[in-house]
Amino acid sequence: MKNVSPILMVAFLATLTFTLATEVESEFRKTAANVSGDGAFTKLLGDGRRLFSGQSVAMADVYLHSGFYPSIFDSVENKGVKVLETSDDHDDHDHHGHDEHDDHDAEHEKAMSFMGPPRDPLDAFIRNFRVTQHSHLEAGEQREVLPWLKLAIELDPQAIETYIATSYWLRKNLKHTEDARDVLREGIRNNPKSYALLYEMGNIYKRDDKNDLKAHNIWLAALRFWREQSADDKAETLDWLGKIADSLADLELDAGNFDQAIQYFELAKTVSPNPAALQKQIDELKAKLPSKTSPAPLLSVPN
Amino acid sequence: MKTVFAIASVVIKELYRRKDFYVLFVLSALITIAAGSINFFKDMVMVRYVKDICLLLIWFSTLIIAVITAARQIPSEKENRTIFPLLSKPVSRGQVIAGKFLGCWLAVGVAILMFYAFFILVTAARGGDWQLVAYAKSIGLLWMMVGVVIAMTLLGSVVFAAVSSNATICLVVIIGILFLGEHLNKIARRQAEPTGSITYTVYYLIPHLEIADVRNLLVNNKPMPSLKACVKAALYDGAYATTFLYFTWLIFRRQRLNT
């Protein structure tokens, strides 16, 4: 075979690669369009990535408790350690008593006292090298949990609690309301019928934007999606109905729509752990009703 | 002692020549820098996850380097038949063991220092605190723990026939101790007798390598153990390393070398 000049060979190969690239690239675009939105983890691990999502949330929990966290062996001894809890209800005038919050904190402390006294001298020695005090991140340090929560979302886009927790920490501790909203939007995109995400989104509009009308509409959508569930699912998520109804009632109350507020309070009462407090509020509102005859037109009760 | 240092210096030079350290260092650096360059919610102050990932890679790389370096020392001398000229000099088998151990230990110590230098730079770049005393204690604890790992692997290298089997078995044992070691007492308490007592005995017998794992303290900016506790841990590791080296010598001194 006659010797070919290396320059010609390189030129030929470059032309060949360029030609093939134009062909392959268009094919790749078509494929990429079908799987748009899939991150690196989806490409690498497929659906198996969901297995690691819980681990990522657990890492966020470990950080939140400054490294003081039960291992799987401790968890067996102390069941029910649930630590990554996020709720705006702590800050607001909800219908749970203070005693209930105190009980919750005491329960949390009890759950986190998994370590107990040293079991033997070696155990006592090893504890010199471990985090042995229960404390939570504070003063903006809560931001440290966010990378793991973001990773957990990437790994399992259907895990509703992760979106809620991420948006909570962004909003409450970092005051990144827009980022929190984006996280919830992403969650709603991936879980369009999630009443929990809609409820949290409504919270942002109500508490941060003071946009009652938008909050009202979003919470109504949340209520509709909650009602569209199967009977079994409804039975398991009654607390969400309580939250949504409670929030809607508060909105109506603020708008002076006592009639509608009473209806929502009645709905919340059916699932409330403290129905007596709600009944008291309903009675007070009913007493005010005759003097308030023309409700504000802003908010309306759904059919 | 001069002989021991001479053998040790050869081992250190061997680590420079081989690519293991460089590959693991570059890999660790790339992963850490990639993780550190991710911008979560436009907030670049988050540093703990970067520290966590970097320390995990340091531990992983250090253990791999320690086991691989120690596992091939005696078998390669035998395979290349360089053990004969080495022992024909006024060098005892005990000195060979001590020299090999010291060389591996010092070489891995240098590797740990380089890894930690990178770790400190990355942490500082992300706005982390300068916890130099904490870093020093962490390095010291890791280095002492690696001494036990190297001694254990050297023992394995005179017991098992192949380097690969020795390295695999040692890594499985080391990872097992790191994950389960400190929990064996809890497991033992839930077991029926005599399994419970056997598990508790194993708990006391194994070298608790996980003692040196203070990554959780470093990552979460918690106070490090006292100097007294660190010295005790160093003595604990020293005792185990000596025991393993003694058993290595017991086996190696009567071992036929021309097999």
Side-chain angles (χ1 to χ4, degrees):
Chain A
M1 197 173 157
K2 194 183 168 186
N3 280 345
V4 182
S5 157
I7 296 170
L8 279 177
M9 185 57 87
V10 169
F12 169 71
L13 287 173
T15 314
L16 186 68
T17 354
F18 182 78
T19 315
L20 284 174
T22 53
E23 180 65 25
V24 171
E25 212 263 345
S26 64
E27 286 299 317
F28 175 76
R29 273 180 193 275
K30 280 181 206 162
T31 318
N34 293 335
V35 290
S36 61
D38 288 350
F41 290 107
T42 313
K43 283 170 188 151
L44 278 173
L45 302 169
D47 274 350
R49 71 193 188 282
R50 288 171 209 270
L51 291 172
F52 303 100
S53 173
Q55 187 58 34
S56 191
V57 173
M59 282 302 294
D61 260 1
V62 173
Y63 281 20
L64 186 66
H65 291 93
S66 301
F68 185 80
Y69 200 73
S71 67
I72 50 166
F73 304 100
D74 297 308
S75 301
V76 174
E77 286 181 353
N78 296 277
K79 285 184 177 166
V81 178
K82 192 182 174 189
V83 282
L84 196 62
E85 288 183 340
T86 56
S87 172
D88 283 328
D89 299 344
H90 285 278
D91 312 326
D92 299 312
H93 60 289
D94 64 345
H95 304 284
H96 306 281
H98 283 291
D99 290 345
E100 204 170 313
H101 291 312
D102 292 344
D103 288 349
H104 177 267
D105 290 344
E107 198 179 304
H108 179 67
E109 281 303 323
K110 193 180 167 195
M112 291 307 285
S113 63
F114 58 88
M115 217 168 223
R119 294 167 184 83
D120 46 67
L122 187 56
D123 191 20
F125 178 60
I126 291 173
R127 287 189 189 191
N128 286 309
F129 304 86
R130 299 287 173 267
V131 180
T132 51
Q133 299 259 310
H134 179 210
S135 63
H136 289 164
L137 289 178
E138 50 192 26
E141 283 192 322
Q142 293 94 334
R143 60 160 55 87
E144 298 286 356
V145 306
L146 291 169
W148 294 109
L149 291 177
K150 180 75 180 151
L151 180 63
I153 288 174
E154 290 275 326
L155 292 169
D156 188 0
Q158 267 66 53
I160 308 289
E161 295 87 356
T162 321
Y163 292 104
I164 295 172
T166 311
S167 109
Y168 173 87
W169 293 116
L170 277 166
R171 193 160 61 90
K172 282 287 173 188
N173 297 100
L174 300 184
K175 312 292 178 203
H176 286 192
T177 308
E178 279 313 309
D179 286 331
R181 207 191 316 264
D182 287 345
V183 167
L184 290 178
R185 273 196 195 117
E186 185 187 341
I188 292 166
R189 252 197 317 274
N190 291 325
N191 309 275
K193 293 206 165 184
S194 170
Y195 49 83
L197 291 172
L198 286 168
Y199 170 75
E200 292 298 329
M201 184 66 102
N203 264 337
I204 291 185
Y205 281 109
K206 164 75 180 154
R207 293 166 205 246
D208 297 293
D209 296 357
K210 312 291 178 207
N211 187 339
D212 286 7
L213 181 60
K214 218 158 188 176
H216 179 257
N217 291 337
I218 290 173
W219 279 334
L220 281 184
L223 187 61
R224 193 173 71 245
F225 286 134
W226 186 89
R227 281 177 171 152
E228 283 176 7
Q229 294 183 108
S230 68
D232 286 348
D233 288 342
K234 278 181 186 171
E236 284 173 15
T237 56
L238 287 175
D239 54 334
W240 280 105
L241 174 64
K243 283 182 185 181
I244 298 166
D246 225 21
S247 302
L248 281 167
D250 284 340
L251 271 186
E252 299 291 3
L253 202 58
D254 291 346
N257 297 332
F258 294 163
D259 251 349
Q260 287 86 343
I262 289 169
Q263 284 181 39
Y264 284 125
F265 277 134
E266 290 283 2
L267 185 60
K269 195 181 79 176
T270 58
V271 293
S272 171
N274 190 6
L278 279 174
Q279 186 55 52
K280 194 180 164 197
Q281 202 159 0
I282 292 167
D283 293 341
E284 283 170 11
L285 284 175
K286 279 182 177 168
K288 286 181 189 173
L289 263 183
S291 62
K292 191 81 183 176
T293 50
S294 56
L298 180 65
L299 309 172
S300 59
V301 187
N303 294 323
Chain B
M1 204 60 196
K2 205 175 164 184
T3 317
V4 172
F5 276 110
I7 296 170
S9 69
V10 175
V11 178
I12 294 170
K13 281 171 194 156
E14 187 200 325
L15 186 76
Y16 292 152
R17 281 198 300 270
R18 294 190 71 95
K19 307 284 183 295
D20 311 12
F21 168 72
Y22 304 109
V23 169
L24 285 168
F25 184 81
V26 169
L27 200 63
S28 305
L30 282 178
I31 295 172
T32 308
I33 290 168
S37 60
I38 300 171
N39 184 352
F40 290 102
F41 307 110
K42 302 183 271 300
D43 190 324
M44 292 301 280
V45 190
M46 297 167 200
V47 68
R48 293 189 188 197
Y49 80 99
V50 182
K51 284 163 84 174
D52 218 344
I53 291 169
C54 191
L55 284 171
L56 178 71
L57 291 168
I58 289 175
W59 266 68
F60 174 77
S61 304
T62 305
L63 287 174
I64 296 285
I65 291 169
V67 169
I68 300 293
T69 309
R72 65 172 168 240
Q73 289 306 317
I74 294 171
S76 68
E77 293 278 9
K78 282 187 198 171
E79 198 180 315
N80 299 331
R81 301 193 171 271
T82 46
I83 191 84
F84 298 111
L86 183 65
L87 289 173
S88 67
K89 290 168 186 162
V91 176
S92 69
R93 293 195 181 194
Q95 284 172 322
V96 171
I97 298 288
K100 294 290 184 191
F101 169 78
L102 189 65
C104 291
W105 193 47
L106 291 174
V108 177
V110 173
I112 291 173
L113 283 178
M114 292 184 71
F115 275 121
Y116 262 85
F118 172 73
F119 167 72
I120 292 168
L121 282 177
V122 168
T123 309
R126 291 283 296 199
D129 302 329
W130 289 88
Q131 308 164 282
L132 293 181
V133 176
Y135 296 147
K137 282 181 180 175
S138 173
I139 291 169
L141 286 167
L142 177 57
W143 194 36
M144 289 305 294
M145 184 277 280
V146 164
V148 183
V149 168
I150 290 167
M152 189 196 288
T153 314
L154 280 176
L155 174 61
S157 71
V158 295
V159 173
F160 302 110
V163 176
S164 55
S165 57
N166 178 32
T168 309
I169 290 167
C170 284
L171 279 173
V172 169
V173 170
I174 290 161
I175 291 167
I177 291 173
L178 287 174
F179 277 100
L180 285 176
E182 68 182 297
H183 303 296
L184 281 177
N185 56 348
K186 294 170 205 163
I187 296 168
R189 278 164 186 262
R190 287 191 215 115
Q191 288 175 325
E193 290 300 337
T195 327
S197 297
I198 294 168
T199 311
Y200 229 115
T201 311
V202 172
Y203 168 73
Y204 273 112
L205 279 179
I206 57 167
H208 283 270
L209 305 173
E210 77 281 358
I211 287 177
D213 187 3
V214 288
R215 287 177 298 149
N216 208 13
L217 296 172
L218 265 186
V219 168
N220 292 292
N221 299 330
K222 291 285 175 184
M224 290 295 275
S226 65
L227 191 62
K228 193 177 159 190
C230 291
V231 170
K232 276 186 188 174
L235 290 173
Y236 175 87
D237 287 336
Y240 270 100
T242 311
T243 309
F244 283 128
L245 288 176
Y246 179 69
F247 280 113
T248 312
W249 173 72
L250 279 182
I251 297 169
F252 188 59
R253 69 178 179 153
R254 302 247 177 252
Q255 201 167 48
R256 287 166 61 90
L257 300 174
N258 54 354
T259 50

